[in-house]
Amino acid sequence: MSVRVPAKVNLQLGVGPLRDDGYHDLVNVFHAVSLFDEVTAEPADALRIAVEAAPGSRVAIDGVPTDDGNLAARAARLVAERLGVRPGVALRIRKAIPVAGGMAGGSADAAAALLACARLWDDPAAPVLAQSDLLELGAALGSDVPFALLGGTAVGTGRGERLAPAAARGTFHWVFATADGGLSTPAVYAECDRLRAERGGDVPWPEASAELMAALAAGDAKALGAALTNDLQPAALALRPSLRAALDAGRALGAIGALVSGSGPTCAFLAETAEHAADLAGALDRAGVAAQTLAAYGPVPGATVI
């Protein structure tokens, strides 16, 4: 059973004040884009994971765990537990989503493993697990996993796991500039809290941007580019100052929107058309401000059996 699953970019990442449980309330406008990992599940005598770069991809997979540190393994165990079966499965993960790049590649693989194992083990005539059950299991794994199942464009609240589909008209064209090495998501949130404490004052509760939602509904790329926001971006730039050069270069080369994707270090640039995206990717490559540039479009569907 093989499942294809997309990367995401956060069009808005609003981060509320630090809660007593150590989390933050978020408003997270997710947008699924056409960079895909593929997870194949086959019956096996035990749970095993193999990871490889997708054909033609330059994704570095050295740091991707092949044990229970991989969310896909935990996803398989959750499905097995819910269905009352032994978690005997070989998972082969082919990666084209940048690793540790703020595009939820690990969460995407977990979502794909949930769907693949459910299809592998569930009774097709009388399935136990509906999509709502998979979304529940995904939320137990991580804040970004439910969206990877759903895809499209959606507003996430809570820790990001409570999703409401968002109206998005047409297709938007993107360029993603990756960086060497990753950024720790907990470290970026901690730096965000530190910067806010240093600045002082109350942190407002986040709300979905009316301008951004209107731009999506209208299919207006220029208005969307102007409305992109990420409350974690100052922290990511503080921890990795070189990202500022990539953002500045993208804007100077004609991007109509630019921001750090999620907790970084990938930078996302919005283009006006597919041709503009191809030109922008080439120009960023020549500028030497990124390890790799990738053109993509969105929105696209979530985890899909292929």
Side-chain angles (χ1 to χ4, degrees), residues 9 11 28-33 147 150-156 163-170 172 212-213 216-217 224 298-302:
V9 60
L11 307 180
N28 215 335
V29 182
F30 295 106
H31 184 70
V33 296
F147 176 71
L150 183 67
T153 305
V155 179
L163 296 172
R169 181 181 177 188
F172 298 97
L212 185 138
M213 302 308 291
L216 284 169
L224 179 62
V300 298

Side-chain angles (χ1 to χ4, degrees), residues 149-163:
L149 286 164
L150 183 67
T153 305
V155 179
T157 54
R159 290 182 292 107
E161 81 285 1
R162 296 199 299 267
L163 296 172

